[in-house]
């Protein structure tokens, strides 16, 4: 029933509007009698003067149109075209033959004019949202000649709006977010609807917003369409997402208006309003006492109803008797607290620990209150494990003298089993660290003894590894490093630092320093080295040399006179005794070699050989060098001449064919000339001449008679016999060169008494031949006889 009333009301309004539109043109277009000035407003014009007044002296012709702006209702539809308005001119009087002409936008298609009356009708249904107004031109012309009776005039037909477009949310559906626990009235978002109707005419485009769904959580401002929080204490952990339906209604929200809706999805964002909470108040873990340092002993977890950064927590140990034995870290991925071992634990010392662990949020909201933390108790029970023996010291430092006798006790290492059972311990030396087996250890008490003599000068330190093993469980092994330092004793005598060779000038002065001598000692006394130098007793009264202590563990050897001559004695030997300050002192005798040399006036050594005195007087060093150079040059020329003479060809070349052979010479050879070979044509034909043929690799001085060769039977030639004959001839050939040569024999043999085995020389086929006679040739042809002596069935196969 309400809907029917609303439709009746709309029809009533439409009827009244139509009457108003129809009547207004009739009222406004009544002709104005009498002359008047043309009016420029409202589109109306004064009545044009009649024909009788056209001869008046006027500046211009006056128009006779009279109308206002025309209107037509949009979306109007009926059985007949709707009358928009009527045109009229004061020329239309009496029986004048005039007609009205319409031109412009929509003329003839949308709008039509009655040529006689000037009535304008809308022929089609109009939509203001497509085009709000039309500009047309009206003119009066002679009905017979179509000549214009007055200038054309423009007028506008406006399409009058009706409420035919509902509001639309072009950007919907919407999504918005607001922090949880926001205060009432907190803006969430704003929506916007548009209406295609005319906003300046009536209330067709006046929108009012309301909320259809989403109460009591949200509200909407009816004018601005701002959505706000309407309920206090909205908790994300209770509900995170809400669907809000917003309606926009035109006509100011009154009855009969059109409406449109959109949806807004509102998400509550998280704030840190929930503290972390342990799932249990007491955690218990059992960890073995041999758990390695840094390994995990257990995990705890504090859950937080918040999400993201607001749910992250950090863990710490705030109380407990751990004494720094444990630490707790936070796993960034799982947000768990990882309990790890910081120090070794011992079941025999302490078997249980109690800790208090706290979880604290990383972020906090001042407005949300607190505290944002929680605590839990962690009880750790230590489990006994079979532990390896423990040395009292991880590293032992022992000392032994390098002259210590075999089986000397160097020191003792000690280890114990930390378990409550207290197993016995056995000791061993890791032989990988004592490859030369210089030390031994007592397996029961750990005493280390010397197995081989030690020399500090060879190895000052020995680092060995000692292992301790439980008797009842050999897999439990521990290790300790034993560093053995070899202590020095004075067992090495000092000696010269190098092999000295001193040079003494003949023209030297008495007291001149010939050589400075120092000594070294392989020993390393704590107080340092001090060496004492002295001449051997038989040299104490040496008339030639003496020594002088330089107070820096070195001495200077001095000459006592200046009468040294190479002709008299070229070399002197001075034995010197060097003694160290060890206990007991060690000494050695070292001999200094002193060579007498000829020197320049400046004391520079020039020659130390006595042979220089036997050279002719007057020959300088330059002359001697020139003589030597000449001798070397003559030797080189002689050597080159001999080489050329030696490389001349030893044979007379001829045009005979030279066969290829390989010849080895003891000298370097003469190139291609040495490839002259024997004619081995005879060797290729055993029936040929075995007489003498001249050798071509040498030119014999004497001619010998041909030798009688050894002939073999025509059918009994044997290769071995043939080779031996040729070898005997070569060995007894008086013209053979005094060097070895390789001779090539192309002999292929004489043939076989069995004749040819080929079937190509016989006219018989394989089936006609009998090869049984092959069995009679002996064991060498037995296999061949078996292959050819086959039956008919084998042949078919």
């Amino acid at each position: 029933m309400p809907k029917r009333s609303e439709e009746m009301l709309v029809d009533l309004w439409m009827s009244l509007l139509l009457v108003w539109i129809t009547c207004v043109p009739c009222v406004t277009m009544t002709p104005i009698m009498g002359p008047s000035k043309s009016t420029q407003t409202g589109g109306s014009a004064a009545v044009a003067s009649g024909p009788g007044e056209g001869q008046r002296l006027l500046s211009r012709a006056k128009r006779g149109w009279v109308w206002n702006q025309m209107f037509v209702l949009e979306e109007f539809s009926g059985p007949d075209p709707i009358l928009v308005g009527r045109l009229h001119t004061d020329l239309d009087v009496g029986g004048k033959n005039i007609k009205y002409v319409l031109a412009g936008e929509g003329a003839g298609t949308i709008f039509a004019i009655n040529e006689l009356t000037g009535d304008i009708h809308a022929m089609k249904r109009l939509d203001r949202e497509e085009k709000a107004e039309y500009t047309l031109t009206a003119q009066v012309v002679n009905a017979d000649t179509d000549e214009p009776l007055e200038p054309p005039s423009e007028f506008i037909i406006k399409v009058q709006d009706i409420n035919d477009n509902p509001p639309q949310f072009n950007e919907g559906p919407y999504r918005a977010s607001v922090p949880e626990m926001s205060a009432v009235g907190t803006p969430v978002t704003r929506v916007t609807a548009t209406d295609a109707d005319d906003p300046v005419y009536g209330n067709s485009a006046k929108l009012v917003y309301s909320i259809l769904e989403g109460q009591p959580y949200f509200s909407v401002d009816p004018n601005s369409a701002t959505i706000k929080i309407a309920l206090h204490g909205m908790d994300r952990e209770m509900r995170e997402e809400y669907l809000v339906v917003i309606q926009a209604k035109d006509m100011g929200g009154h009855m009969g208006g059109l409406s449109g809706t959109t949806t807004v999805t509102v998400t509550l964002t998280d704030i840190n309003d929930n503290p972390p909470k342990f799932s249990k108040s007491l955690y218990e873990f059992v960890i073995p006492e041999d758990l390695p340092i840094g390994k995990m002993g257990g995990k705890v977890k504090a859950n937080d109803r918040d999400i993201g950064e607001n749910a992250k927590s950090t863990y710490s140990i705030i109380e407990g008797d751990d004494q720094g034995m444990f630490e707790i870290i936070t796993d960034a991925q799982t947000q768990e607290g990882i309990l790890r071992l910081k120090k070794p634990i011992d079941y025999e010392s302490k078997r249980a620990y109690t800790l208090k662990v706290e979880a604290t949020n990383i972020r906090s909201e001042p407005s949300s209150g607190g505290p944002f933390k929680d605590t839990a108790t962690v009880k750790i029970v230590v489990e006994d494990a079979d532990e390896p023996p423990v040395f009292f010291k991880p590293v032992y430092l022992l000392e032994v003298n390098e002259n210590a006798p075999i089986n000397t006790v160097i020191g003792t290492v000690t280890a114990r089993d930390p378990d409550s059972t207290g197993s016995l311990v056995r000791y061993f030396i890791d032989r990988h660290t004592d490859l030369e087996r210089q030390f031994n250890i007592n397996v029961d008490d750990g005493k280390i003894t010397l197995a081989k003599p030690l020399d500090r000068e060879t190895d000052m330190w020995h680092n060995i590894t000692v292992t301790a093993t439980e008797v009842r469980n050999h897999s439990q092994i521990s290790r300790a490093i034993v560093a053995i330092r070899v202590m020095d004793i004075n067992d090495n005598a000092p000696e010269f630092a190098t092999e000295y060779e001193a040079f003494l000038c003949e023209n030297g002065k008495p007291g001149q320093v010939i050589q400075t001598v120092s000594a070294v000692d392989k020993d390393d006394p704590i107080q340092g080295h001090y060496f004492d130098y002295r001449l051997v007793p038989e040299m104490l009264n040496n008339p030639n040399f003496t020594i002088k202590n330089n107070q820096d563990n070195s001495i200077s050897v001095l000459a006592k006179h200046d009468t040294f001559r190479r002709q008299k004695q070229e070399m002197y030997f001075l034995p010197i005794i060097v003694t160290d300050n060890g206990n007991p002192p060690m000494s050695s005798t070292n001999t200094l070699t002193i060579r007498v040399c000829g020197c320049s006036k400046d004391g520079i050594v020039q020659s130390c050989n006595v042979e220089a005195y036997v050279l002719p007087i007057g020959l300088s060093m330059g002359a001697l060098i020139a003589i030597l150079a000449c001798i070397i040059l003559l030797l080189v020329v002689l050597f080159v001449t001999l080489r050329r003479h030696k490389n001349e060809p030893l044979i007379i070349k001829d045009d005979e064919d030279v066969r290829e052979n390989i010849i080895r010479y003891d000298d370097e050879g003469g190139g291609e000339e040495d490839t002259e070979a024997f004619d081995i044509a005879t060797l290729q034909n055993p029936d040929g001449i075995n007489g003498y043929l001249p050798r071509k690799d040498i030119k014999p001085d004497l001619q010998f008679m041909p030798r009688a060769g050894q002939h073999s039977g025509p059918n009994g030639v044997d290769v071995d016999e043939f080779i031996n004959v040729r070898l005997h001839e070569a060995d007894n050939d008086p013209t053979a060169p005094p060097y070895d040569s390789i001779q090539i024999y192309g002999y292929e043999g004489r043939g076989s008494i069995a004749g040819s085995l080929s079937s190509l020389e016989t006219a018989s086929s394989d089936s006609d031949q009998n090869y049984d006679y092959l069995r009679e040739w002996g064991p060498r042809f037995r296999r061949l006889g078996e292959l050819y002596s086959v039956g008919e069935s084998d042949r078919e196969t």
Side-chain angles (χ1 to χ4, degrees):
M1 196 65 186
K3 185 176 182 181
R4 180 61 180 171
S5 300
E6 183 177 355
E7 293 176 355
M8 292 175 64
L9 182 61
V10 172
D11 293 339
L12 180 60
W13 277 102
M14 294 295 291
S15 300
L16 293 174
L17 182 61
L18 181 61
V19 172
W20 179 79
I21 294 173
T22 306
C23 295
V24 169
C26 297
V27 175
T28 59
M29 292 184 183
T30 56
I32 302 174
M33 303 305 293
S36 62
K37 296 180 180 179
S38 60
T39 305
Q40 301 299 325
T41 61
S44 61
V47 177
S49 61
E53 297 174 356
Q55 297 176 358
R56 296 180 183 180
L57 297 176
L58 299 176
S59 60
R60 62 183 176 86
K62 296 182 179 179
R63 297 168 51 189
W65 296 109
V66 179
W67 66 77
N68 285 331
Q69 196 172 24
M70 296 182 184
F71 296 89
V72 61
L73 193 65
E74 71 168 333
E75 302 293 343
F76 180 81
S77 62
D80 299 321
I82 182 174
L83 179 63
V84 179
R86 178 177 295 172
L87 300 180
H88 185 72
T89 179
D90 54 4
L91 295 179
D92 188 6
V93 293
K96 285 234 177 173
N97 192 11
I98 65 172
K99 67 177 180 180
Y100 295 92
V101 179
L102 187 65
E105 296 177 338
T109 57
I110 299 176
F111 302 102
I113 190 169
N114 190 316
E115 296 179 349
L116 299 178
T117 63
D119 293 338
I120 301 175
H121 291 83
M123 307 301 293
K124 294 183 178 180
R125 191 175 184 176
L126 301 179
D127 187 0
R128 189 200 67 83
E129 285 70 40
E130 291 184 3
K131 191 171 179 62
E133 61 181 31
Y134 297 85
T135 302
L136 297 117
T137 302
Q139 192 174 21
V140 178
V141 299
N142 189 294
D144 296 329
T145 62
D146 288 336
E147 293 181 359
L149 300 179
E150 62 180 17
S153 297
E154 286 186 356
F155 65 96
I156 296 174
I157 298 177
K158 287 191 175 182
V159 182
Q160 196 168 22
D161 183 54
I162 66 172
N163 190 20
D164 60 340
N165 291 281
Q168 293 183 353
F169 294 91
N170 296 324
E171 298 179 1
Y174 297 85
R175 297 193 67 89
S177 61
V178 64
E180 64 175 332
M181 296 297 177
S182 297
V184 176
T186 302
V188 179
T189 187
R190 181 182 178 182
V191 297
T192 303
T194 59
D195 196 317
D197 294 325
D198 192 353
V200 298
Y201 179 77
N203 293 327
S204 298
K206 185 178 181 181
L207 305 180
V208 174
Y209 298 90
S210 61
I211 183 168
L212 300 182
E213 185 178 340
Q215 293 132 339
Y217 309 105
F218 301 95
S219 63
V220 63
D221 188 279
N223 298 318
S224 65
T226 301
I227 302 174
K228 301 178 181 179
I229 296 291
L231 184 64
H232 177 73
M234 296 178 66
D235 191 1
R236 186 202 64 83
E237 287 72 34
M238 299 296 295
R239 182 177 176 181
E240 185 175 3
E241 194 171 87
Y242 297 84
L243 183 65
V244 180
V245 180
I246 302 297
Q247 181 191 64
K249 190 174 184 180
D250 57 12
M251 298 299 290
H254 294 94
M255 185 179 298
L258 303 178
S259 64
T261 60
T262 188
T263 59
V264 181
T265 303
V266 181
T267 303
L268 298 182
T269 58
D270 184 61
I271 65 171
N272 191 15
D273 58 342
N274 292 280
K277 187 68 177 178
F278 283 103
S279 58
K280 297 187 296 184
S281 60
L282 177 64
Y283 293 85
E284 292 185 355
F285 302 110
V286 177
I287 60 177
E289 63 174 332
D290 58 352
L291 182 70
I293 303 298
K295 293 297 182 179
M296 181 184 69
K299 296 189 294 185
V300 297
K301 178 67 178 295
N303 299 312
D304 196 322
R305 298 177 62 192
D306 297 321
I307 59 175
E309 294 293 326
N310 296 326
K312 292 184 178 180
S313 301
T314 181
Y315 298 87
S316 60
I317 299 175
I318 57 175
E319 293 181 10
D321 52 355
D322 66 306
Q323 299 176 355
M325 305 291 290
F326 301 93
E327 66 177 353
I328 188 169
I329 62 172
T330 303
D331 189 327
Q333 300 296 328
T334 63
Q335 285 298 302
E336 293 177 318
I338 309 299
L339 195 66
R340 300 193 310 185
L341 195 63
K342 288 181 63 178
K343 297 180 181 180
I345 55 177
D346 187 12
Y347 172 82
E348 288 72 26
S349 301
K350 190 171 184 178
R351 302 185 178 183
Y353 296 87
T354 302
L355 311 175
K356 190 173 184 180
V357 178
E358 181 181 74
T360 307
N361 275 156
I362 297 176
R363 294 180 57 184
S364 61
E365 298 286 346
S367 60
S368 301
F372 292 93
K373 60 180 67 176
D374 192 23
T375 59
T377 302
V378 178
K379 185 176 181 181
I380 300 172
V381 177
V382 181
E383 184 181 40
D384 189 22
D386 191 6
E387 300 174 273
V390 178
F391 283 95
F392 288 129
K393 292 189 295 184
V395 178
Y396 290 83
L397 179 61
L398 305 178
E399 294 181 350
V400 59
N401 290 329
E402 61 178 326
N403 63 343
I406 304 300
N407 296 326
T408 298
V409 177
I410 303 173
T412 303
V413 296
T414 306
R416 66 174 183 85
D417 183 11
D419 297 323
S420 57
T421 55
S423 174
L424 296 178
V425 177
R426 294 290 182 266
Y427 303 92
F428 303 93
I429 293 178
D430 185 354
R431 291 305 177 182
H432 292 91
T433 61
D434 185 25
L435 297 176
E436 297 181 1
R437 295 182 175 270
Q438 293 180 301
F439 306 96
N440 291 326
I441 190 170
N442 190 298
V443 296
D444 296 321
D445 57 13
K447 290 184 178 179
I448 301 175
T449 57
L450 190 62
K452 292 182 179 179
L454 301 177
D455 185 7
R456 189 202 66 85
E457 286 71 38
T458 302
D459 289 308
M460 184 181 300
W461 287 93
H462 296 272
N463 295 319
I464 63 174
T465 300
V466 176
T467 61
T469 307
E470 291 184 5
V471 173
R472 60 181 177 84
N473 187 359
H474 296 291
S475 63
Q476 297 297 329
I477 302 175
S478 59
R479 301 174 182 272
I481 297 175
V482 179
I484 301 175
R485 180 181 180 182
V486 181
M487 304 301 295
D488 183 51
I489 64 171
N490 193 28
D491 58 345
N492 290 279
E495 56 188 12
F496 280 175
T498 184
E499 294 183 2
Y500 292 103
E501 185 177 12
F503 298 95
L504 174 63
C505 293
E506 291 181 315
N507 56 353
K509 299 178 180 180
Q512 179 182 358
V513 176
I514 302 173
Q515 181 70 46
T516 300
V517 176
S518 61
V520 293
D521 195 331
K522 295 181 179 179
D523 295 322
D524 187 18
I526 298 176
Q527 64 275 14
H529 289 290
Y530 177 77
F531 301 121
D532 178 63
Y533 301 86
R534 67 181 185 275
L535 298 176
V536 296
E538 56 270 21
M539 288 288 183
L540 291 178
N541 297 322
N542 188 332
N544 299 316
F545 306 101
T546 185
I547 60 176
K548 174 186 176 183
N549 194 336
N550 296 328
Q551 304 300 324
D552 58 355
N553 280 340
S554 67
I555 60 171
S556 297
V557 179
L558 309 177
K560 286 187 174 182
H561 56 81
D562 57 355
T563 59
F564 295 97
R565 294 293 181 269
R566 280 179 289 176
Q567 301 90 330
K568 180 179 179 182
Q569 186 172 349
E570 179 187 4
M571 191 175 299
Y572 294 87
F573 299 98
L574 183 65
I576 301 175
I577 299 175
V578 185
T579 306
D580 60 18
N581 59 334
N583 185 18
M586 302 288 291
S587 62
S588 65
T589 301
N590 302 265
T591 301
L592 176 64
T593 301
I594 303 174
R595 191 182 296 273
V596 181
C597 303
C599 302
S600 64
K601 296 181 179 181
D602 299 333
I604 299 175
V605 176
Q606 292 182 341
S607 175
C608 296
N609 297 325
V610 69
E611 288 82 1
Y613 285 93
V614 301
L615 295 176
I617 300 175
L619 290 179
S620 62
M621 185 62 68
L624 294 176
I625 294 175
I627 293 172
L628 291 176
C630 292
I631 294 174
I632 294 173
L633 181 60
L634 291 175
L635 291 176
V636 170
V637 172
L638 179 61
F639 176 75
V640 172
T641 302
L642 292 176
R643 285 292 302 272
R644 291 181 177 177
H645 180 72
K646 184 177 182 180
N647 290 334
E648 291 180 354
L650 302 178
I651 61 176
I652 300 175
K653 295 183 180 180
D654 55 22
D655 296 333
E656 294 183 5
D657 181 34
V658 179
R659 299 302 177 92
E660 185 178 68
N661 73 345
I662 301 174
I663 303 174
R664 177 179 176 183
Y665 299 95
D666 290 335
D667 58 3
E668 295 182 358
E672 295 181 354
E673 295 177 350
D674 288 342
T675 60
E676 295 292 332
F678 299 101
D679 183 3
I680 60 174
T682 304
L683 299 179
Q684 294 175 340
N685 185 8
D687 295 332
I689 300 174
N690 291 327
Y692 169 78
L693 289 177
R695 299 293 294 269
K696 298 181 179 180
D697 53 350
I698 61 172
K699 184 178 181 181
D701 297 331
L702 301 175
Q703 297 294 331
F704 293 88
M705 294 299 295
R707 301 186 305 273
Q710 298 181 7
H711 296 278
S712 299
N715 297 323
V717 177
D718 185 73
V719 176
D720 294 339
E721 182 181 356
F722 173 75
I723 295 297
N724 291 330
V725 170
R726 294 303 184 191
L727 179 62
H728 178 74
E729 292 177 356
D731 291 339
N732 295 280
D733 189 355
T735 62
Y739 40 78
D740 295 334
S741 65
I742 296 177
Q743 303 183 27
I744 298 176
Y745 302 97
Y747 175 69
E748 296 183 356
R750 288 288 300 162
S752 173
I753 60 175
S756 174
L757 298 179
S758 174
S759 61
L760 299 177
E761 299 177 359
T762 177
S764 62
S765 63
D766 293 342
S767 60
D768 298 332
Q769 296 185 25
N770 187 1
Y771 299 97
D772 294 337
Y773 63 90
L774 295 175
R775 301 176 182 273
E776 302 174 359
W777 286 4
R780 295 186 178 181
F781 295 88
R782 180 180 301 168
R783 180 56 180 166
L784 188 62
E786 293 175 358
L787 293 175
Y788 280 83
S789 298
V790 294
E792 291 295 327
S793 60
D794 295 335
R795 293 192 183 97
E796 294 176 359
T797 303

